[in-house]
Short mmCIF file of all heavy atoms in Angstrom, two decimals:
data_model
loop_
_atom_site.label_atom_id
_atom_site.label_comp_id
_atom_site.label_asym_id
_atom_site.label_seq_id
_atom_site.Cartn_x
_atom_site.Cartn_y
_atom_site.Cartn_z
N ALA T 80 -24.31 1.83 5.13
CA ALA T 80 -22.92 1.18 4.78
C ALA T 80 -21.87 1.60 5.79
O ALA T 80 -21.04 0.85 6.34
CB ALA T 80 -22.45 1.48 3.31
N LEU T 81 -21.97 2.97 6.18
CA LEU T 81 -20.99 3.49 7.05
C LEU T 81 -21.16 2.91 8.46
O LEU T 81 -20.20 2.60 9.20
CB LEU T 81 -21.16 5.00 7.24
CG LEU T 81 -20.32 5.76 6.15
CD1 LEU T 81 -20.85 7.32 6.10
CD2 LEU T 81 -18.80 5.66 6.29
N MET T 82 -22.51 2.85 8.81
CA MET T 82 -22.76 2.15 10.26
C MET T 82 -22.40 0.60 10.24
O MET T 82 -21.71 0.19 11.29
CB MET T 82 -24.25 2.33 10.52
CG MET T 82 -24.71 3.69 10.81
SD MET T 82 -23.75 4.45 12.05
CE MET T 82 -23.61 6.13 11.51
N SER T 83 -22.54 -0.13 9.21
CA SER T 83 -22.12 -1.44 9.28
C SER T 83 -20.60 -1.58 9.16
O SER T 83 -20.01 -2.50 9.77
CB SER T 83 -22.85 -2.40 8.31
OG SER T 83 -22.69 -1.97 6.99
N LEU T 84 -20.05 -0.67 8.44
CA LEU T 84 -18.55 -0.66 8.39
C LEU T 84 -17.98 -0.33 9.83
O LEU T 84 -16.87 -0.92 10.26
CB LEU T 84 -18.04 0.44 7.44
CG LEU T 84 -16.48 0.62 7.22
CD1 LEU T 84 -15.86 -0.66 6.81
CD2 LEU T 84 -16.20 1.73 6.32
N MET T 85 -18.60 0.45 10.48
CA MET T 85 -18.19 0.77 11.95
C MET T 85 -18.17 -0.48 12.76
O MET T 85 -17.32 -0.78 13.44
CB MET T 85 -19.18 1.89 12.47
CG MET T 85 -18.75 2.35 13.82
SD MET T 85 -17.25 3.21 13.80
CE MET T 85 -17.62 4.57 12.55
N VAL T 86 -19.32 -1.25 12.69
CA VAL T 86 -19.47 -2.46 13.50
C VAL T 86 -18.37 -3.50 13.09
O VAL T 86 -17.66 -4.07 13.97
CB VAL T 86 -20.90 -3.09 13.32
CG1 VAL T 86 -21.05 -4.43 13.94
CG2 VAL T 86 -21.92 -2.10 13.74
N SER T 87 -18.25 -3.69 11.71
CA SER T 87 -17.22 -4.73 11.35
C SER T 87 -15.82 -4.27 11.62
O SER T 87 -14.97 -5.19 12.07
CB SER T 87 -17.37 -5.04 9.88
OG SER T 87 -17.23 -3.85 9.15
N SER T 88 -15.52 -2.98 11.56
CA SER T 88 -14.18 -2.66 11.88
C SER T 88 -13.92 -2.66 13.38
O SER T 88 -12.76 -3.02 13.80
CB SER T 88 -13.97 -1.14 11.52
OG SER T 88 -14.28 -0.89 10.19
N LEU T 89 -14.88 -2.24 14.24
CA LEU T 89 -14.67 -2.34 15.74
C LEU T 89 -14.36 -3.85 16.05
O LEU T 89 -13.49 -4.19 16.83
CB LEU T 89 -15.82 -1.95 16.44
CG LEU T 89 -16.05 -0.33 16.41
CD1 LEU T 89 -17.39 0.04 16.98
CD2 LEU T 89 -14.94 0.24 17.15
N LYS T 90 -15.11 -4.73 15.47
CA LYS T 90 -14.97 -6.18 15.76
C LYS T 90 -13.53 -6.70 15.38
O LYS T 90 -12.85 -7.29 16.06
CB LYS T 90 -16.00 -7.08 14.92
CG LYS T 90 -17.22 -7.35 15.57
CD LYS T 90 -17.97 -8.54 14.90
CE LYS T 90 -19.44 -8.50 14.91
NZ LYS T 90 -20.24 -8.11 16.02
N ALA T 91 -13.12 -6.25 14.09
CA ALA T 91 -11.92 -6.76 13.58
C ALA T 91 -10.71 -6.00 14.25
O ALA T 91 -9.71 -6.67 14.33
CB ALA T 91 -11.85 -6.31 12.05
N GLU T 92 -10.86 -4.91 14.83
CA GLU T 92 -9.70 -4.17 15.47
C GLU T 92 -9.61 -4.48 16.89
O GLU T 92 -8.44 -4.12 17.45
CB GLU T 92 -9.93 -2.72 15.29
CG GLU T 92 -9.74 -2.15 13.83
CD GLU T 92 -8.63 -2.71 13.11
OE1 GLU T 92 -7.36 -2.62 13.65
OE2 GLU T 92 -8.82 -3.14 12.03
N LEU T 93 -10.41 -5.16 17.54
CA LEU T 93 -10.35 -5.35 18.94
C LEU T 93 -8.98 -5.93 19.33
O LEU T 93 -8.23 -5.57 20.24
CB LEU T 93 -11.51 -6.16 19.51
CG LEU T 93 -11.33 -6.40 21.06
CD1 LEU T 93 -11.35 -5.13 21.86
CD2 LEU T 93 -12.55 -7.19 21.60
N PRO T 94 -8.51 -7.15 18.60
CA PRO T 94 -7.27 -7.65 19.01
C PRO T 94 -6.14 -6.59 18.78
O PRO T 94 -5.10 -6.69 19.67
CB PRO T 94 -7.09 -8.87 17.96
CG PRO T 94 -8.43 -9.12 17.45
CD PRO T 94 -9.20 -7.81 17.55
N THR T 95 -6.17 -5.85 17.82
CA THR T 95 -5.17 -4.78 17.68
C THR T 95 -5.10 -3.87 18.85
O THR T 95 -4.07 -3.46 19.41
CB THR T 95 -5.34 -4.07 16.39
OG1 THR T 95 -5.69 -4.98 15.34
CG2 THR T 95 -4.13 -3.20 15.91
N PHE T 96 -6.33 -3.49 19.22
CA PHE T 96 -6.36 -2.52 20.38
C PHE T 96 -5.76 -3.31 21.62
O PHE T 96 -4.95 -2.62 22.34
CB PHE T 96 -7.81 -2.10 20.77
CG PHE T 96 -8.60 -1.30 19.69
CD1 PHE T 96 -9.85 -1.40 19.56
CD2 PHE T 96 -7.67 -0.55 18.79
CE1 PHE T 96 -10.56 -0.63 18.47
CE2 PHE T 96 -8.42 0.19 17.81
CZ PHE T 96 -9.89 0.22 17.74
N LEU T 97 -6.14 -4.48 21.89
CA LEU T 97 -5.53 -5.18 23.05
C LEU T 97 -4.05 -5.36 22.99
O LEU T 97 -3.28 -5.19 23.95
CB LEU T 97 -6.27 -6.49 23.13
CG LEU T 97 -7.78 -6.44 23.46
CD1 LEU T 97 -8.48 -7.79 23.47
CD2 LEU T 97 -8.16 -5.70 24.79
N ASN T 98 -3.54 -5.74 21.72
CA ASN T 98 -2.17 -5.97 21.61
C ASN T 98 -1.32 -4.75 21.73
O ASN T 98 -0.11 -4.80 22.02
CB ASN T 98 -1.85 -6.75 20.25
CG ASN T 98 -2.36 -8.04 20.20
OD1 ASN T 98 -2.46 -8.73 21.32
ND2 ASN T 98 -2.72 -8.56 19.10
N ASN T 99 -1.91 -3.62 21.28
CA ASN T 99 -1.16 -2.40 21.14
C ASN T 99 -1.40 -1.44 22.36
O ASN T 99 -1.16 -0.20 22.31
CB ASN T 99 -1.28 -1.66 19.84
CG ASN T 99 -0.73 -2.62 18.75
OD1 ASN T 99 0.54 -2.83 18.69
ND2 ASN T 99 -1.54 -3.03 17.86
N ASN T 100 -2.25 -1.83 23.42
CA ASN T 100 -2.50 -1.05 24.48
C ASN T 100 -3.35 0.19 24.26
O ASN T 100 -3.15 1.18 24.75
CB ASN T 100 -1.15 -0.67 25.19
CG ASN T 100 -1.31 -0.39 26.60
OD1 ASN T 100 -2.18 -0.64 27.24
ND2 ASN T 100 -0.28 0.29 27.15
N ILE T 101 -4.20 0.02 23.26
CA ILE T 101 -5.06 1.20 22.84
C ILE T 101 -6.44 1.15 23.60
O ILE T 101 -7.16 0.19 23.44
CB ILE T 101 -5.19 1.15 21.25
CG1 ILE T 101 -3.97 1.30 20.63
CG2 ILE T 101 -6.34 2.21 20.91
CD1 ILE T 101 -3.96 1.04 19.17
N ARG T 102 -6.85 2.28 24.13
CA ARG T 102 -8.10 2.45 24.84
C ARG T 102 -9.03 3.19 23.89
O ARG T 102 -8.69 4.27 23.33
CB ARG T 102 -7.89 3.29 26.11
CG ARG T 102 -9.10 3.57 26.95
CD ARG T 102 -8.79 4.18 28.33
NE ARG T 102 -8.21 5.70 28.01
CZ ARG T 102 -8.59 6.70 28.70
NH1 ARG T 102 -9.43 6.48 29.82
NH2 ARG T 102 -8.15 7.79 28.55
N LEU T 103 -10.18 2.62 23.72
CA LEU T 103 -11.16 3.15 22.81
C LEU T 103 -12.23 4.16 23.55
O LEU T 103 -12.76 3.62 24.59
CB LEU T 103 -11.91 2.27 21.97
CG LEU T 103 -12.78 2.82 20.81
CD1 LEU T 103 -11.98 3.30 19.68
CD2 LEU T 103 -13.86 1.81 20.40
N LYS T 104 -12.34 5.27 23.11
CA LYS T 104 -13.44 6.18 23.60
C LYS T 104 -14.26 6.85 22.52
O LYS T 104 -13.88 6.70 21.31
CB LYS T 104 -12.78 7.26 24.43
CG LYS T 104 -12.01 6.85 25.74
CD LYS T 104 -13.12 6.82 26.85
CE LYS T 104 -12.50 6.45 28.10
NZ LYS T 104 -13.58 6.58 29.17
N ALA T 105 -15.44 7.25 22.87
CA ALA T 105 -16.28 7.94 21.87
C ALA T 105 -16.93 9.27 22.31
O ALA T 105 -17.06 9.30 23.51
CB ALA T 105 -17.27 6.95 21.31
N ILE T 106 -17.13 10.17 21.41
CA ILE T 106 -17.81 11.44 21.79
C ILE T 106 -18.92 11.58 20.78
O ILE T 106 -18.76 11.09 19.61
CB ILE T 106 -16.87 12.67 21.84
CG1 ILE T 106 -16.16 12.82 20.53
CG2 ILE T 106 -15.93 12.53 22.96
CD1 ILE T 106 -15.37 14.12 20.41
N GLY T 107 -20.04 12.24 21.11
CA GLY T 107 -21.12 12.49 20.19
C GLY T 107 -22.41 11.91 20.85
O GLY T 107 -22.47 11.58 21.92
N ASN T 108 -23.46 12.10 19.99
CA ASN T 108 -24.74 11.68 20.31
C ASN T 108 -24.82 10.10 20.14
O ASN T 108 -25.57 9.71 19.14
CB ASN T 108 -25.74 12.45 19.54
CG ASN T 108 -27.15 12.08 20.05
OD1 ASN T 108 -27.41 11.47 21.01
ND2 ASN T 108 -28.09 12.64 19.32
N LEU T 109 -24.20 9.40 21.02
CA LEU T 109 -24.03 7.90 20.72
C LEU T 109 -25.35 7.20 20.84
O LEU T 109 -25.54 6.11 20.21
CB LEU T 109 -23.08 7.28 21.85
CG LEU T 109 -21.73 8.04 21.91
CD1 LEU T 109 -20.88 7.39 22.85
CD2 LEU T 109 -20.97 8.06 20.45
N SER T 110 -26.42 7.79 21.53
CA SER T 110 -27.62 7.09 21.55
C SER T 110 -28.48 7.12 20.28
O SER T 110 -29.45 6.39 20.17
CB SER T 110 -28.43 7.63 22.77
OG SER T 110 -28.69 8.95 22.61
N SER T 111 -28.09 8.07 19.32
CA SER T 111 -28.68 8.07 18.05
C SER T 111 -28.11 7.06 17.07
O SER T 111 -28.63 6.92 16.01
CB SER T 111 -28.46 9.50 17.51
OG SER T 111 -27.10 9.68 17.06
N LEU T 112 -27.10 6.26 17.46
CA LEU T 112 -26.50 5.28 16.57
C LEU T 112 -27.39 4.02 16.51
O LEU T 112 -28.09 3.80 17.51
CB LEU T 112 -25.16 4.88 17.07
CG LEU T 112 -24.05 5.93 17.19
CD1 LEU T 112 -22.78 5.49 17.86
CD2 LEU T 112 -23.67 6.41 15.72
N PRO T 113 -27.39 3.32 15.41
CA PRO T 113 -28.05 2.05 15.33
C PRO T 113 -27.74 1.10 16.57
O PRO T 113 -26.50 1.22 16.87
CB PRO T 113 -27.75 1.46 14.03
CG PRO T 113 -27.14 2.47 13.20
CD PRO T 113 -26.58 3.56 14.14
N VAL T 114 -28.63 0.31 17.04
CA VAL T 114 -28.32 -0.33 18.21
C VAL T 114 -27.12 -1.32 18.17
O VAL T 114 -26.35 -1.38 19.07
CB VAL T 114 -29.71 -1.08 18.75
CG1 VAL T 114 -30.07 -2.23 17.79
CG2 VAL T 114 -29.47 -1.55 20.14
N GLU T 115 -26.91 -2.02 17.05
CA GLU T 115 -25.81 -2.84 16.83
C GLU T 115 -24.55 -2.10 17.02
O GLU T 115 -23.52 -2.53 17.53
CB GLU T 115 -25.74 -3.70 15.52
CG GLU T 115 -26.95 -3.93 14.69
CD GLU T 115 -27.65 -2.84 14.20
OE1 GLU T 115 -27.30 -2.46 12.98
OE2 GLU T 115 -28.52 -2.31 14.77
N CYS T 116 -24.53 -0.94 16.41
CA CYS T 116 -23.38 -0.11 16.44
C CYS T 116 -23.04 0.35 17.82
O CYS T 116 -21.82 0.43 18.29
CB CYS T 116 -23.53 1.12 15.58
SG CYS T 116 -22.16 2.14 15.15
N LYS T 117 -24.09 0.80 18.48
CA LYS T 117 -23.88 1.26 19.96
C LYS T 117 -23.33 0.19 20.83
O LYS T 117 -22.53 0.40 21.61
CB LYS T 117 -25.29 1.82 20.36
CG LYS T 117 -25.32 2.29 21.81
CD LYS T 117 -24.71 3.61 22.05
CE LYS T 117 -25.01 4.20 23.41
NZ LYS T 117 -24.56 3.36 24.60
N GLU T 118 -23.87 -0.95 20.66
CA GLU T 118 -23.59 -2.16 21.35
C GLU T 118 -22.12 -2.53 21.17
O GLU T 118 -21.27 -2.69 22.13
CB GLU T 118 -24.46 -3.28 21.20
CG GLU T 118 -25.71 -3.27 21.94
CD GLU T 118 -26.70 -4.30 21.62
OE1 GLU T 118 -26.35 -5.33 20.78
OE2 GLU T 118 -27.85 -4.28 21.96
N GLU T 119 -21.72 -2.63 19.84
CA GLU T 119 -20.33 -2.92 19.52
C GLU T 119 -19.34 -1.95 20.14
O GLU T 119 -18.33 -2.31 20.78
CB GLU T 119 -20.14 -2.99 18.07
CG GLU T 119 -18.90 -3.82 17.54
CD GLU T 119 -18.93 -5.27 17.96
OE1 GLU T 119 -19.92 -5.83 17.83
OE2 GLU T 119 -17.84 -5.71 18.30
N LEU T 120 -19.69 -0.64 20.08
CA LEU T 120 -18.85 0.46 20.54
C LEU T 120 -18.78 0.34 22.14
O LEU T 120 -17.63 0.38 22.67
CB LEU T 120 -19.58 1.75 20.22
CG LEU T 120 -18.88 3.00 20.47
CD1 LEU T 120 -17.61 2.97 19.61
CD2 LEU T 120 -19.76 4.23 20.10
N ASP T 121 -19.97 0.02 22.83
CA ASP T 121 -19.88 -0.09 24.25
C ASP T 121 -19.00 -1.27 24.68
O ASP T 121 -18.22 -1.20 25.62
CB ASP T 121 -21.20 -0.35 24.76
CG ASP T 121 -22.08 0.92 24.77
OD1 ASP T 121 -21.53 2.08 24.67
OD2 ASP T 121 -23.30 0.92 24.85
#
Side-chain angles (χ1 to χ4, degrees):
L81 279 166
M82 292 301 147
S83 58
L84 180 60
M85 187 62 59
V86 174
S87 57
S88 302
L89 286 170
K90 271 197 209 321
E92 293 309 311
L93 181 59
T95 314
F96 293 156
L97 297 173
N98 290 332
N99 296 296
N100 204 16
I101 296 169
R102 177 173 70 135
L103 188 77
K104 289 277 183 174
I106 56 172
N108 187 6
L109 306 180
S110 58
S111 71
L112 295 170
V114 68
E115 330 70 88
C116 188
K117 173 80 168 57
E118 277 174 11
E119 198 61 43
L120 191 61
D121 285 342

